[in-house]
mmCIF file of all heavy atoms in Angstrom:
data_model
loop_
_atom_site.group_PDB
_atom_site.id
_atom_site.type_symbol
_atom_site.label_atom_id
_atom_site.label_comp_id
_atom_site.label_asym_id
_atom_site.label_seq_id
_atom_site.Cartn_x
_atom_site.Cartn_y
_atom_site.Cartn_z
ATOM 1 N N GLY A 1239 12.304 -13.165 -16.531
ATOM 2 C CA GLY A 1239 13.476 -13.648 -15.805
ATOM 3 C C GLY A 1239 13.342 -13.673 -14.294
ATOM 4 O O GLY A 1239 14.247 -14.139 -13.607
ATOM 5 N N GLY A 1240 12.237 -13.169 -13.780
ATOM 6 C CA GLY A 1240 12.054 -13.207 -12.340
ATOM 7 C C GLY A 1240 11.825 -14.628 -11.843
ATOM 8 O O GLY A 1240 11.645 -15.557 -12.619
ATOM 9 N N GLY A 1241 11.855 -14.779 -10.520
ATOM 10 C CA GLY A 1241 11.621 -16.093 -9.945
ATOM 11 C C GLY A 1241 12.025 -16.147 -8.489
ATOM 12 O O GLY A 1241 12.249 -15.111 -7.848
ATOM 13 N N LEU A 1242 12.105 -17.358 -7.998
ATOM 14 C CA LEU A 1242 12.483 -17.610 -6.604
ATOM 15 C C LEU A 1242 13.919 -18.112 -6.566
ATOM 16 O O LEU A 1242 14.281 -19.033 -7.307
ATOM 17 C CB LEU A 1242 11.534 -18.651 -6.004
ATOM 18 C CG LEU A 1242 11.867 -19.166 -4.600
ATOM 19 C CD1 LEU A 1242 11.761 -18.030 -3.588
ATOM 20 C CD2 LEU A 1242 10.945 -20.315 -4.227
ATOM 21 N N VAL A 1243 14.726 -17.503 -5.693
ATOM 22 C CA VAL A 1243 16.126 -17.880 -5.589
ATOM 23 C C VAL A 1243 16.537 -17.798 -4.134
ATOM 24 O O VAL A 1243 15.978 -16.998 -3.375
ATOM 25 C CB VAL A 1243 16.998 -16.975 -6.482
ATOM 26 C CG1 VAL A 1243 16.951 -15.530 -6.029
ATOM 27 C CG2 VAL A 1243 18.424 -17.477 -6.557
ATOM 28 N N GLN A 1244 17.492 -18.595 -3.748
ATOM 29 C CA GLN A 1244 17.997 -18.544 -2.382
ATOM 30 C C GLN A 1244 18.966 -17.379 -2.220
ATOM 31 O O GLN A 1244 19.599 -16.936 -3.193
ATOM 32 C CB GLN A 1244 18.706 -19.850 -2.024
ATOM 33 C CG GLN A 1244 17.772 -21.031 -1.840
ATOM 34 C CD GLN A 1244 18.489 -22.266 -1.311
ATOM 35 O OE1 GLN A 1244 19.676 -22.459 -1.558
ATOM 36 N NE2 GLN A 1244 17.775 -23.096 -0.572
ATOM 37 N N ALA A 1245 19.097 -16.925 -0.999
ATOM 38 C CA ALA A 1245 20.046 -15.857 -0.701
ATOM 39 C C ALA A 1245 21.443 -16.277 -1.158
ATOM 40 O O ALA A 1245 21.849 -17.432 -0.969
ATOM 41 C CB ALA A 1245 20.036 -15.557 0.784
ATOM 42 N N GLY A 1246 22.133 -15.334 -1.773
ATOM 43 C CA GLY A 1246 23.453 -15.617 -2.318
ATOM 44 C C GLY A 1246 23.433 -16.031 -3.774
ATOM 45 O O GLY A 1246 24.492 -16.095 -4.420
ATOM 46 N N GLY A 1247 22.246 -16.311 -4.280
ATOM 47 C CA GLY A 1247 22.116 -16.751 -5.656
ATOM 48 C C GLY A 1247 22.062 -15.606 -6.643
ATOM 49 O O GLY A 1247 22.237 -14.431 -6.281
ATOM 50 N N SER A 1248 21.808 -15.966 -7.903
ATOM 51 C CA SER A 1248 21.803 -14.986 -8.988
ATOM 52 C C SER A 1248 20.569 -15.146 -9.859
ATOM 53 O O SER A 1248 20.001 -16.244 -9.963
ATOM 54 C CB SER A 1248 23.047 -15.164 -9.870
ATOM 55 O OG SER A 1248 24.234 -14.963 -9.135
ATOM 56 N N LEU A 1249 20.178 -14.058 -10.472
ATOM 57 C CA LEU A 1249 19.119 -14.032 -11.474
ATOM 58 C C LEU A 1249 19.494 -12.997 -12.517
ATOM 59 O O LEU A 1249 20.169 -12.009 -12.202
ATOM 60 C CB LEU A 1249 17.778 -13.659 -10.863
ATOM 61 C CG LEU A 1249 16.939 -14.714 -10.158
ATOM 62 C CD1 LEU A 1249 15.685 -14.076 -9.566
ATOM 63 C CD2 LEU A 1249 16.571 -15.844 -11.095
ATOM 64 N N ARG A 1250 19.019 -13.204 -13.730
ATOM 65 C CA ARG A 1250 19.167 -12.197 -14.771
ATOM 66 C C ARG A 1250 17.798 -11.821 -15.291
ATOM 67 O O ARG A 1250 17.062 -12.680 -15.787
ATOM 68 C CB ARG A 1250 20.038 -12.686 -15.922
ATOM 69 C CG ARG A 1250 20.167 -11.657 -17.046
ATOM 70 C CD ARG A 1250 21.066 -12.135 -18.166
ATOM 71 N NE ARG A 1250 22.449 -12.222 -17.740
ATOM 72 C CZ ARG A 1250 23.445 -12.589 -18.545
ATOM 73 N NH1 ARG A 1250 23.198 -12.884 -19.800
ATOM 74 N NH2 ARG A 1250 24.677 -12.647 -18.086
ATOM 75 N N LEU A 1251 17.469 -10.574 -15.161
ATOM 76 C CA LEU A 1251 16.216 -10.058 -15.699
ATOM 77 C C LEU A 1251 16.455 -9.505 -17.096
ATOM 78 O O LEU A 1251 17.518 -8.958 -17.384
ATOM 79 C CB LEU A 1251 15.656 -8.959 -14.807
ATOM 80 C CG LEU A 1251 15.440 -9.306 -13.333
ATOM 81 C CD1 LEU A 1251 14.805 -8.119 -12.610
ATOM 82 C CD2 LEU A 1251 14.611 -10.549 -13.173
ATOM 83 N N SER A 1252 15.445 -9.640 -17.931
ATOM 84 C CA SER A 1252 15.484 -9.083 -19.273
ATOM 85 C C SER A 1252 14.288 -8.175 -19.475
ATOM 86 O O SER A 1252 13.222 -8.404 -18.884
ATOM 87 C CB SER A 1252 15.449 -10.191 -20.322
ATOM 88 O OG SER A 1252 16.533 -11.076 -20.182
ATOM 89 N N CYS A 1253 14.463 -7.191 -20.313
ATOM 90 C CA CYS A 1253 13.368 -6.295 -20.672
ATOM 91 C C CYS A 1253 13.461 -6.048 -22.167
ATOM 92 O O CYS A 1253 14.400 -5.402 -22.640
ATOM 93 C CB CYS A 1253 13.465 -4.991 -19.895
ATOM 94 S SG CYS A 1253 12.276 -3.734 -20.402
ATOM 95 N N ALA A 1254 12.489 -6.569 -22.900
ATOM 96 C CA ALA A 1254 12.455 -6.402 -24.337
ATOM 97 C C ALA A 1254 11.567 -5.213 -24.689
ATOM 98 O O ALA A 1254 10.447 -5.087 -24.172
ATOM 99 C CB ALA A 1254 11.923 -7.668 -24.993
ATOM 100 N N ALA A 1255 12.070 -4.373 -25.579
ATOM 101 C CA ALA A 1255 11.354 -3.156 -25.947
ATOM 102 C C ALA A 1255 10.948 -3.180 -27.411
ATOM 103 O O ALA A 1255 11.676 -3.705 -28.258
ATOM 104 C CB ALA A 1255 12.234 -1.942 -25.687
ATOM 105 N N SER A 1256 9.795 -2.621 -27.674
ATOM 106 C CA SER A 1256 9.363 -2.429 -29.052
ATOM 107 C C SER A 1256 9.884 -1.086 -29.542
ATOM 108 O O SER A 1256 10.337 -0.257 -28.743
ATOM 109 C CB SER A 1256 7.841 -2.474 -29.146
ATOM 110 O OG SER A 1256 7.293 -1.371 -28.433
ATOM 111 N N GLY A 1257 9.812 -0.864 -30.846
ATOM 112 C CA GLY A 1257 10.194 0.444 -31.365
ATOM 113 C C GLY A 1257 11.570 0.442 -31.990
ATOM 114 O O GLY A 1257 12.426 -0.370 -31.638
ATOM 115 N N ARG A 1258 11.761 1.396 -32.901
ATOM 116 C CA ARG A 1258 13.004 1.436 -33.666
ATOM 117 C C ARG A 1258 14.042 2.389 -33.089
ATOM 118 O O ARG A 1258 15.140 2.469 -33.611
ATOM 119 C CB ARG A 1258 12.695 1.860 -35.099
ATOM 120 C CG ARG A 1258 11.849 0.852 -35.856
ATOM 121 C CD ARG A 1258 11.564 1.341 -37.269
ATOM 122 N NE ARG A 1258 10.701 2.503 -37.264
ATOM 123 C CZ ARG A 1258 10.329 3.141 -38.366
ATOM 124 N NH1 ARG A 1258 10.800 2.773 -39.531
ATOM 125 N NH2 ARG A 1258 9.529 4.187 -38.287
ATOM 126 N N THR A 1259 13.694 3.093 -32.020
ATOM 127 C CA THR A 1259 14.624 4.066 -31.475
ATOM 128 C C THR A 1259 15.105 3.670 -30.087
ATOM 129 O O THR A 1259 15.490 4.529 -29.292
ATOM 130 C CB THR A 1259 13.964 5.450 -31.419
ATOM 131 O OG1 THR A 1259 12.748 5.368 -30.657
ATOM 132 C CG2 THR A 1259 13.668 5.958 -32.805
ATOM 133 N N PHE A 1260 15.111 2.392 -29.805
ATOM 134 C CA PHE A 1260 15.497 1.892 -28.487
ATOM 135 C C PHE A 1260 16.856 2.404 -28.062
ATOM 136 O O PHE A 1260 17.055 2.790 -26.917
ATOM 137 C CB PHE A 1260 15.497 0.365 -28.505
ATOM 138 C CG PHE A 1260 16.070 -0.264 -27.269
ATOM 139 C CD1 PHE A 1260 15.301 -0.366 -26.112
ATOM 140 C CD2 PHE A 1260 17.360 -0.761 -27.260
ATOM 141 C CE1 PHE A 1260 15.822 -0.942 -24.969
ATOM 142 C CE2 PHE A 1260 17.890 -1.348 -26.129
ATOM 143 C CZ PHE A 1260 17.116 -1.442 -24.978
ATOM 144 N N SER A 1261 17.809 2.434 -28.986
ATOM 145 C CA SER A 1261 19.172 2.808 -28.622
ATOM 146 C C SER A 1261 19.260 4.239 -28.088
ATOM 147 O O SER A 1261 20.203 4.577 -27.372
ATOM 148 C CB SER A 1261 20.100 2.624 -29.810
ATOM 149 O OG SER A 1261 19.728 3.471 -30.878
ATOM 150 N N ARG A 1262 18.303 5.075 -28.413
ATOM 151 C CA ARG A 1262 18.332 6.469 -27.952
ATOM 152 C C ARG A 1262 17.814 6.635 -26.532
ATOM 153 O O ARG A 1262 18.018 7.682 -25.915
ATOM 154 C CB ARG A 1262 17.477 7.333 -28.875
ATOM 155 C CG ARG A 1262 17.941 7.346 -30.313
ATOM 156 C CD ARG A 1262 17.041 8.240 -31.140
ATOM 157 N NE ARG A 1262 17.354 8.188 -32.562
ATOM 158 C CZ ARG A 1262 16.653 8.833 -33.496
ATOM 159 N NH1 ARG A 1262 15.630 9.578 -33.152
ATOM 160 N NH2 ARG A 1262 16.988 8.729 -34.754
ATOM 161 N N TYR A 1263 17.122 5.636 -26.037
ATOM 162 C CA TYR A 1263 16.509 5.773 -24.723
ATOM 163 C C TYR A 1263 17.501 5.450 -23.620
ATOM 164 O O TYR A 1263 18.327 4.548 -23.762
ATOM 165 C CB TYR A 1263 15.324 4.826 -24.560
ATOM 166 C CG TYR A 1263 14.223 4.968 -25.567
ATOM 167 C CD1 TYR A 1263 13.436 3.873 -25.901
ATOM 168 C CD2 TYR A 1263 13.953 6.187 -26.172
ATOM 169 C CE1 TYR A 1263 12.417 3.986 -26.819
ATOM 170 C CE2 TYR A 1263 12.936 6.308 -27.098
ATOM 171 C CZ TYR A 1263 12.171 5.196 -27.422
ATOM 172 O OH TYR A 1263 11.156 5.311 -28.324
ATOM 173 N N ALA A 1264 17.383 6.131 -22.510
ATOM 174 C CA ALA A 1264 17.970 5.623 -21.288
ATOM 175 C C ALA A 1264 17.000 4.589 -20.735
ATOM 176 O O ALA A 1264 15.780 4.781 -20.788
ATOM 177 C CB ALA A 1264 18.175 6.744 -20.278
ATOM 178 N N MET A 1265 17.546 3.503 -20.222
ATOM 179 C CA MET A 1265 16.714 2.445 -19.668
ATOM 180 C C MET A 1265 17.019 2.304 -18.193
ATOM 181 O O MET A 1265 18.184 2.355 -17.766
ATOM 182 C CB MET A 1265 16.980 1.128 -20.376
ATOM 183 C CG MET A 1265 16.659 1.152 -21.873
ATOM 184 S SD MET A 1265 14.916 1.508 -22.208
ATOM 185 C CE MET A 1265 14.141 0.081 -21.469
ATOM 186 N N GLY A 1266 15.973 2.115 -17.428
ATOM 187 C CA GLY A 1266 16.157 1.982 -15.992
ATOM 188 C C GLY A 1266 15.455 0.754 -15.438
ATOM 189 O O GLY A 1266 14.523 0.228 -16.055
ATOM 190 N N TRP A 1267 15.935 0.316 -14.309
ATOM 191 C CA TRP A 1267 15.269 -0.731 -13.538
ATOM 192 C C TRP A 1267 14.874 -0.141 -12.186
ATOM 193 O O TRP A 1267 15.670 0.552 -11.544
ATOM 194 C CB TRP A 1267 16.177 -1.935 -13.309
ATOM 195 C CG TRP A 1267 16.358 -2.810 -14.502
ATOM 196 C CD1 TRP A 1267 17.388 -2.783 -15.387
ATOM 197 C CD2 TRP A 1267 15.480 -3.840 -14.948
ATOM 198 N NE1 TRP A 1267 17.205 -3.736 -16.363
ATOM 199 C CE2 TRP A 1267 16.042 -4.407 -16.108
ATOM 200 C CE3 TRP A 1267 14.261 -4.362 -14.471
ATOM 201 C CZ2 TRP A 1267 15.438 -5.457 -16.810
ATOM 202 C CZ3 TRP A 1267 13.664 -5.404 -15.161
ATOM 203 C CH2 TRP A 1267 14.248 -5.939 -16.321
ATOM 204 N N PHE A 1268 13.652 -0.429 -11.784
ATOM 205 C CA PHE A 1268 13.123 -0.020 -10.491
ATOM 206 C C PHE A 1268 12.535 -1.253 -9.811
ATOM 207 O O PHE A 1268 12.306 -2.273 -10.465
ATOM 208 C CB PHE A 1268 12.026 1.047 -10.667
ATOM 209 C CG PHE A 1268 12.537 2.360 -11.191
ATOM 210 C CD1 PHE A 1268 12.846 2.526 -12.533
ATOM 211 C CD2 PHE A 1268 12.697 3.443 -10.342
ATOM 212 C CE1 PHE A 1268 13.324 3.737 -13.022
ATOM 213 C CE2 PHE A 1268 13.166 4.657 -10.817
ATOM 214 C CZ PHE A 1268 13.483 4.797 -12.157
ATOM 215 N N ARG A 1269 12.280 -1.117 -8.535
ATOM 216 C CA ARG A 1269 11.647 -2.230 -7.829
ATOM 217 C C ARG A 1269 10.712 -1.696 -6.746
ATOM 218 O O ARG A 1269 10.885 -0.578 -6.262
ATOM 219 C CB ARG A 1269 12.687 -3.158 -7.211
ATOM 220 C CG ARG A 1269 13.531 -2.538 -6.099
ATOM 221 C CD ARG A 1269 14.646 -3.496 -5.695
ATOM 222 N NE ARG A 1269 15.441 -2.952 -4.595
ATOM 223 C CZ ARG A 1269 16.543 -3.533 -4.144
ATOM 224 N NH1 ARG A 1269 16.987 -4.664 -4.681
ATOM 225 N NH2 ARG A 1269 17.220 -2.990 -3.136
ATOM 226 N N GLN A 1270 9.745 -2.521 -6.417
ATOM 227 C CA GLN A 1270 8.808 -2.154 -5.372
ATOM 228 C C GLN A 1270 8.494 -3.373 -4.521
ATOM 229 O O GLN A 1270 7.978 -4.373 -5.026
ATOM 230 C CB GLN A 1270 7.518 -1.569 -5.954
ATOM 231 C CG GLN A 1270 6.583 -1.023 -4.892
ATOM 232 C CD GLN A 1270 5.492 -0.150 -5.470
ATOM 233 O OE1 GLN A 1270 5.160 -0.233 -6.656
ATOM 234 N NE2 GLN A 1270 4.918 0.706 -4.643
ATOM 235 N N ALA A 1271 8.841 -3.276 -3.265
ATOM 236 C CA ALA A 1271 8.558 -4.343 -2.311
ATOM 237 C C ALA A 1271 7.195 -4.086 -1.669
ATOM 238 O O ALA A 1271 6.722 -2.948 -1.635
ATOM 239 C CB ALA A 1271 9.647 -4.390 -1.249
ATOM 240 N N PRO A 1272 6.558 -5.121 -1.147
ATOM 241 C CA PRO A 1272 5.236 -4.942 -0.517
ATOM 242 C C PRO A 1272 5.287 -3.908 0.595
ATOM 243 O O PRO A 1272 6.164 -3.954 1.461
ATOM 244 C CB PRO A 1272 4.926 -6.337 0.032
ATOM 245 C CG PRO A 1272 5.703 -7.259 -0.831
ATOM 246 C CD PRO A 1272 6.969 -6.523 -1.177
ATOM 247 N N GLY A 1273 4.359 -2.968 0.542
ATOM 248 C CA GLY A 1273 4.277 -1.952 1.574
ATOM 249 C C GLY A 1273 5.312 -0.859 1.483
ATOM 250 O O GLY A 1273 5.374 0.009 2.357
ATOM 251 N N LYS A 1274 6.108 -0.880 0.428
ATOM 252 C CA LYS A 1274 7.155 0.127 0.274
ATOM 253 C C LYS A 1274 6.973 0.896 -1.021
ATOM 254 O O LYS A 1274 6.281 0.446 -1.933
ATOM 255 C CB LYS A 1274 8.535 -0.521 0.321
ATOM 256 C CG LYS A 1274 8.881 -1.162 1.650
ATOM 257 C CD LYS A 1274 10.320 -1.627 1.668
ATOM 258 C CE LYS A 1274 10.705 -2.202 3.019
ATOM 259 N NZ LYS A 1274 12.132 -2.641 3.050
ATOM 260 N N GLU A 1275 7.621 2.047 -1.067
ATOM 261 C CA GLU A 1275 7.566 2.827 -2.286
ATOM 262 C C GLU A 1275 8.490 2.227 -3.343
ATOM 263 O O GLU A 1275 9.467 1.534 -3.030
ATOM 264 C CB GLU A 1275 7.972 4.276 -1.998
ATOM 265 C CG GLU A 1275 6.988 5.014 -1.106
ATOM 266 C CD GLU A 1275 7.327 6.480 -0.968
ATOM 267 O OE1 GLU A 1275 8.414 6.893 -1.435
ATOM 268 O OE2 GLU A 1275 6.508 7.204 -0.385
ATOM 269 N N ARG A 1276 8.188 2.559 -4.578
ATOM 270 C CA ARG A 1276 9.063 2.147 -5.661
ATOM 271 C C ARG A 1276 10.413 2.811 -5.504
ATOM 272 O O ARG A 1276 10.495 3.987 -5.141
ATOM 273 C CB ARG A 1276 8.434 2.556 -6.987
ATOM 274 C CG ARG A 1276 9.213 2.147 -8.217
ATOM 275 C CD ARG A 1276 8.506 2.638 -9.466
ATOM 276 N NE ARG A 1276 8.393 4.087 -9.493
ATOM 277 C CZ ARG A 1276 7.571 4.750 -10.295
ATOM 278 N NH1 ARG A 1276 6.773 4.094 -11.107
ATOM 279 N NH2 ARG A 1276 7.541 6.071 -10.271
ATOM 280 N N GLU A 1277 11.483 2.057 -5.770
ATOM 281 C CA GLU A 1277 12.817 2.621 -5.657
ATOM 282 C C GLU A 1277 13.652 2.310 -6.893
ATOM 283 O O GLU A 1277 13.473 1.288 -7.553
ATOM 284 C CB GLU A 1277 13.531 2.097 -4.401
ATOM 285 C CG GLU A 1277 13.831 0.627 -4.392
ATOM 286 C CD GLU A 1277 14.688 0.211 -3.212
ATOM 287 O OE1 GLU A 1277 15.145 1.069 -2.441
ATOM 288 O OE2 GLU A 1277 14.914 -1.014 -3.072
#
């Protein structure tokens, strides 16, 4: 779902998981910009 978008626009990211116990997991999103730490 990533891509190029103009400021003010929208995107929806998806993350598909394998495994039968997905519902038990906490899921998180992180990001890392060039030259910066993951946040």
Side-chain angles (χ1 to χ4, degrees):
L1242 173 65
V1243 64
Q1244 288 187 331
S1248 299
L1249 278 177
R1250 178 178 292 182
L1251 305 183
S1252 301
C1253 173
S1256 65
R1258 295 179 293 178
T1259 56
F1260 172 80
S1261 63
R1262 299 181 186 176
Y1263 303 151
M1265 298 299 296
W1267 285 97
F1268 293 77
R1269 65 187 182 187
Q1270 187 166 21
K1274 295 187 177 181
E1275 293 187 352
R1276 182 181 61 196
E1277 65 173 355

